[in-house]
Amino acid sequence: MIEGKRRAAQAALSEVKDGQILGIGTGSTVAIFIEILAERIRNEGLSLMCVPTSYQSAHLAMERGIRLTTLEEHPTLDLAVDGADEIDRELNLIKGGGAALTREKIVDSAAKRFVVIADKSKLVERLGSKAAVPIEVIPMSWRRVANMVRVLGGEPRLRDGGDRKDGPLVTDNGNFILDINFGPIEDPRALEFELKRIPGVVEVGLFVNLANAAYIGSERGVEKIERKS
Ligand code: 5RP
């Protein structure tokens, strides 16, 4: 799996050009991308700046000497590179496994070109087959949002903070995450729209029609999927 992530990250590096402003996603695959990007910047003396989507990617990029900037300074980015939890062959995605979906959607959609990097296990016939759909919610609204999500046929679960944080996980934006199990999703765009309409929902981890290409890595090599339209 790690080799697939590394190959995908390496392949996406071919899209990076000197002088670009890049959006950088979040997660373990993006962490590999940041490491090899920093190496390339050092070796080739590239002049690049990055807009991070989380404290994780901001901290790692800073530690590796990558210059950071903001969307306020650069509202349009040349390229965004991000991971995914599920990818279908139309390049629709489920994202938010690292709870960074809101900033990821803002940054990824601000790029002229958005490429996804992932290992082969993320490729699915239909979104929702394996992964739940995360949504970021305003804390005071979570129980009501959860009730409304059940009406849409989903089974929501409030994401826990894990070993190092008692109680619910709190995002970089100070909100909660609901992971919603829908099973295989027939119409991701319609579902994204329905979820987004619920008061208290900040963002939905369905990324429909946003990615331009995906690099899917495996032990054997990399498959590139490019969006047709
Ligand atoms: C974070 C994300 C990640 O991109 C996604 O969870 C994939 O992570 P990884 O590369 O670790 O499998 O959406 O919110």
Side-chain angles (χ1 to χ4, degrees), residues 115-134:
V115 301
V116 184
I117 51 176
D119 71 82
K120 207 171 133 223
S121 69
K122 306 292 182 68
L123 196 58
V124 293
E125 197 79 14
R126 210 176 256 201
L127 294 185
S129 309
K130 295 193 255 180
V133 177

Side-chain angles (χ1 to χ4, degrees), residues 5 26-30 82-85 95-101 104 122:
K5 292 181 184 190
T26 295
S28 55
T29 318
V30 168
D82 203 348
D85 301 302
K95 288 188 48 56
L101 61 123
E104 288 175 327
K122 306 292 182 68

Side-chain angles (χ1 to χ4, degrees), residues 54-132:
S54 61
Y55 290 124
Q56 183 217 20
S57 50
H59 291 173
L60 180 59
M62 268 191 291
E63 277 165 25
R64 296 298 179 266
I66 296 175
R67 285 160 68 204
L68 297 181
T69 184
T70 62
L71 263 193
E72 280 176 289
E73 273 189 283
H74 297 280
T76 303
L77 308 173
D78 296 299
L79 175 71
V81 179
D82 203 348
D85 301 302
E86 276 189 358
I87 309 168
D88 71 16
R89 290 233 165 236
E90 254 95 71
L91 297 184
N92 299 316
L93 317 171
I94 290 180
K95 288 188 48 56
L101 61 123
T102 300
R103 294 187 190 204
E104 288 175 327
K105 198 178 272 188
I106 294 169
V107 169
D108 296 344
S109 65
K112 291 180 203 153
R113 183 168 166 81
F114 164 33
V115 301
V116 184
I117 51 176
D119 71 82
K120 207 171 133 223
S121 69
K122 306 292 182 68
L123 196 58
V124 293
E125 197 79 14
R126 210 176 256 201
L127 294 185
S129 309
K130 295 193 255 180

Side-chain angles (χ1 to χ4, degrees), residues 144-189:
R144 185 167 164 74
V145 172
N147 288 343
M148 294 178 86
V149 156
R150 284 192 192 95
V151 175
L152 294 177
E155 193 39 59
R157 200 170 47 83
L158 184 63
R159 194 180 294 182
D160 194 74
D163 292 345
R164 310 295 293 270
K165 154 81 172 66
D166 293 335
L169 175 140
V170 178
T171 69
D172 288 1
N173 310 309
N175 297 317
F176 291 171
I177 296 283
L178 284 174
D179 289 302
I180 315 168
N181 189 355
F182 284 102
I185 298 165
E186 226 163 88
D187 187 342
R189 180 187 285 286

